[in-house]
Amino acid sequence: MNSGGLMPEQASNFAQEMDLLYYVLIGLTVFFALLVFVPMLYFVVKYRAGSKADRTRPTYHNLKLELAWSLIPLAMGLVVFVWGAKLFVEMYTPLESENALQITVVGKQWMWHLQHPTGQRENNELHIPTGRPIQLTMISQDVIHSFFVPAFRIKRDVLPGRYVTMWFEATKTGRYHLYCAEYCGTDHAKMTGWVYVMKPEEYERWLVASKWGAVSDAARDTMAEAGERLYNDMQCNSCHDPAAQNAPSLAGLFGKERRLSDGRVVTAGEDYIRRSIYKPNSMKVIGYEPIMPTYEGLIDEQEVLQLIAYIRSVRDEADDLTGRETTPEGDS
Amino acid sequence: MSHTDAPKGTDYLHADYSIKSWLLTLDHKRIAILYLITISLFLAIGGSMALIIRMELLTPEGDLLMSDTYNKAFTVHGVTLIFFFLIPSIPAVLGNFLIPLMIGARDVAFPRLNLLSWYVFTTGGTLGVIALVVGGVDTGWTFYTPYSTSFSNTAVVTAVFAVFFAGFASIMTGLNFIVTIHKMRAPGLTWSRLPLFIWAQYATSVIMVLGTPVIAITLLLIAAEKTLRIGIFDPALGGDPILFQHLFWFYSHPAVYIMILPSMGVISELIACFSRKRIFGYEFVAYSSIAIAVLGFVVWGHHMFVSGQSMYAGMVFSVLSFLVSIPSAVKIFNWIATMHKGQIRLDSPMLYALGFIGLFTIGGLTGLFLAVMGLDIHVHDTYFVVAHFHYIMVGGAILGFFGGIHFWWPKITGRLYPEILGKLSAVLIFIGFNFTFLPQFIAGYLGMPRRTHSYSEEFQVLNVLSSAGASILASGTIIAVAYLLWSLWYGEKAGRNPWNAKGLEWETSTPPPTTNFERTPTVTEEAYAYGPDDESGEVNNERD
């Protein structure tokens, strides 16, 4: 880090625009502050009690002037509003890009668990390559946290009970601070870590190297493989396999529209799958008996993310086996 | 006090000396004094926590306090200073004392309700101190769920009930002021002749009455979820944590205006008096208070851009936040224009007023950084936010309060304070304040998160500067408290109108009689009628 500097390092695609917006606002601040302070100090000196300054015909109203100093700052503000909203939408709109590296983040008191699609798991550290968009899918397993990397100018609250996403592209190799920005209890201050940005080839080497020590098959799994292992271990397959009759098949499920017995039509995304596992009775698919038990307490947030990765992965190869209630063109 | 020379019954301070006469008083002026004493204690508690926090942050390691202790310390700091000091500060002290005097009334509309509000407030405050200091609460003043309801093992329920009580005191005060201002103005005192302090108090009262019930209910819901495990905010129980943030900020953003609007009212009085001029654009300044009160209710979502609120809701809140900044800007420009061709005297209250303009301008403009959605992603929950709201709440609200206390001190106590020390402390507070909080903007943009007792080493220089500034700020405040207390016994006796100011409160004797006026005054001119023939702002400390 550039200790002693006034600005954090610029290490992501958003950093330059963020800083430019910051400088523009500093410029506006200085402009308006001078507009206030210079006349104020000038009047204090010129019109100090007993000075000889001309005080004839003082004004008490000037509608044009008052409208001017109401409307001009407003117009300037609106320009900045549009710019800021545009940047915000860009940063918080989930990426559709196939090229994006999908990293999952689970926050808990007081630690960050991260997992790569290829299965590497990290705690309080994240290794990523430059030159490729990184998409974070984040959830908390207890209170609200906030994933904050100042050098990337990214931050988003990580909520319990629901996924949020955020993306960026690292542009500069190095080691950068990761913080929790939302107060989360006793060791909030210690819920920190490092993000290591590497060249793509180094990242590939890191991916391999970080599996060398793996002693079990499970540790060598990709996320989807880990999900499949869990799917079988928890015997989800006994009801949810394409051949089964008493529960909807999960093949080709991801991204489809689902009609629920209470009339709602929902998209089978991450939140839908998570909720179906934890609170199956609130997500009853029309046409099936509500026989699924809850897996709350049996499967943790990290494992749910692996199951989601698995369900996503069986999408293409089994498109002809989609459940009978899904609409084929519901893919979004 | 040693006013043995004053004959009993001549003024409100000497009408009766018994403890009972204070504790059961229905006199708005005495109730104001009761409030002043109470909130000063809360200021001392909350302020000393600030010093402990700044001491801990001298070094990057968490070496002075354990993390839990630190978390409790900043919760004490926030809860006492916001709920038990800033929110009641100007309304319950200066508002209570001055509103009837300024409008030529004998008292507020409901004197018993007024006294009850002090008892309710004191009960809440005492309960709060017990919860925060004896038990300890580690949620921060924001009580965010599900941390507060399902994870914190501290005295959260007691603390929320304490704030709940204080809220009711606030509602009673607001209700009292609204009725008083509507119904009890002296003959001839039309709305367009009201002092701007009254307009500001009126707008504040409206927020208190409309906003406080929402926080009261929200706090009860916290208690319900925490004790009965009813799922409202915790997703594990089927609740929604964002719902809490909506409810909390629906009150707590307008609460910022509860803190700052009364200060703006004070500043209007000070600028007019020490410039010897009518306020420029009286109507704009008056209506801008109402505009702030109304718009203040529809911007709460700007606290939640990164919290998971819908993007489109965020856009609406962002644009409305730009709108609410305009009435504040109008006030500042109008105050500056008031000084044009005035006869400006730099007595202590005016120094506070100028300090207010300087710091509030910076506080307001840095608020725009946070209202810009994209930029808020980076600075949200960092020290940038901490610096910004201290510029508003300390630089704005507290400087206004101190300025007002200095201005009306002679009227309230019948004594003058030493002017030299007054100027010294005003300057020290201004310098110390900037030293404390300017570095925090930089630390925030560099990425230093809030509410941590340890931090990354590269932030240390900025934090040392900040802690050094806090010691100057504290010295300035302690000096002010010392000479104000000293003046109660040894200060020169004040005349009826030591600043030669306009306004009904200066027309009655000092300290005012229990009944405020010997006969009901009649108002024949607009506020701040400092004419060209009245240019001498010389201190006129004649006694009646």
Side-chain angles (χ1 to χ4, degrees), chain A residues 51-290:
Chain A
S51 75
K52 303 261 180 286
D54 174 27
R55 291 182 176 84
T56 51
R57 292 192 299 138
T59 45
Y60 298 105
H61 293 279
N62 187 335
L63 188 62
K64 274 185 198 160
L65 193 60
E66 288 177 83
L67 286 177
W69 65 47
S70 310
L71 298 179
I72 293 172
L74 182 61
M76 294 166 93
L78 288 180
V79 173
V80 185
F81 156 73
V82 171
W83 184 4
K86 197 188 123 288
L87 179 62
F88 184 91
V89 170
E90 195 186 340
M91 292 177 76
Y92 274 8
T93 303
L95 272 191
E96 300 293 336
S97 160
E98 291 293 320
N99 180 37
L101 179 60
Q102 301 284 345
I103 305 274
T104 62
V105 179
V106 176
K108 69 167 207 186
Q109 290 177 319
W110 293 276
M111 213 181 203
W112 297 106
H113 291 303
L114 301 109
Q115 189 163 14
H116 296 250
T118 40
Q120 288 80 357
R121 298 172 72 147
E122 303 190 68
N123 290 330
N124 296 334
E125 285 190 353
L126 174 62
H127 291 76
I128 47 166
T130 54
R132 184 176 171 192
I134 313 290
Q135 175 137 285
L136 306 174
T137 299
M138 311 189 289
I139 195 160
S140 162
Q141 67 181 52
D142 40 50
V143 302
I144 301 175
H145 302 281
S146 190
F147 193 92
F148 178 32
V149 184
F152 300 159
R153 312 290 188 275
I154 57 161
K155 178 188 295 116
R156 189 157 189 179
D157 282 7
V158 178
L159 304 169
R162 135 177 176 210
Y163 295 108
V164 292
T165 62
M166 175 165 73
W167 76 277
F168 63 95
E169 190 175 317
T171 53
K172 190 173 164 191
T173 57
R175 189 179 76 145
Y176 306 106
H177 280 295
L178 159 65
Y179 294 118
C180 174
E182 182 65 58
Y183 172 70
C184 58
T186 303
D187 275 334
H188 164 61
K190 296 274 173 342
M191 195 168 162
T192 58
W194 294 102
V195 180
Y196 296 87
V197 178
M198 303 181 286
K199 294 201 181 91
E201 56 275 17
E202 276 178 70
Y203 175 69
E204 293 303 326
R205 279 201 293 278
W206 177 85
L207 284 180
V208 175
S210 58
K211 286 211 170 179
W212 278 353
V215 289
S216 64
D217 288 349
R220 272 189 285 276
D221 284 344
T222 65
M223 266 194 89
E225 285 163 358
E228 185 175 13
R229 185 181 299 276
L230 196 61
Y231 177 81
N232 293 323
D233 287 353
M234 300 303 288
Q235 291 171 1
C236 310
N237 55 351
S238 65
C239 294
H240 283 291
D241 262 7
Q245 289 302 306
N246 48 357
S249 161
L250 302 183
L253 166 73
F254 196 87
K256 300 276 161 60
E257 292 204 334
R258 307 284 274 176
R259 193 171 296 279
L260 303 186
S261 58
D262 57 10
R264 278 181 296 161
V265 177
V266 296
T267 304
E270 285 98 341
D271 278 307
Y272 168 82
I273 295 172
R274 181 182 171 279
R275 208 171 163 78
S276 300
I277 294 170
Y278 279 161
K279 302 248 190 295
N281 284 338
S282 69
M283 286 285 163
K284 286 177 286 194
V285 176
I286 204 159
Y288 292 98
E289 289 301 306

Side-chain angles (χ1 to χ4, degrees), chain A residues 19 47 55 155 162 179 183, chain B residues 138 308 342 344 378 380 445 456:
Chain A
D19 290 353
Y47 299 113
R55 291 182 176 84
K155 178 188 295 116
R162 135 177 176 210
Y179 294 118
Y183 172 70
Chain B
D138 70 344
I344 299 170
H378 179 59
H380 187 83
Y445 199 81
S456 306

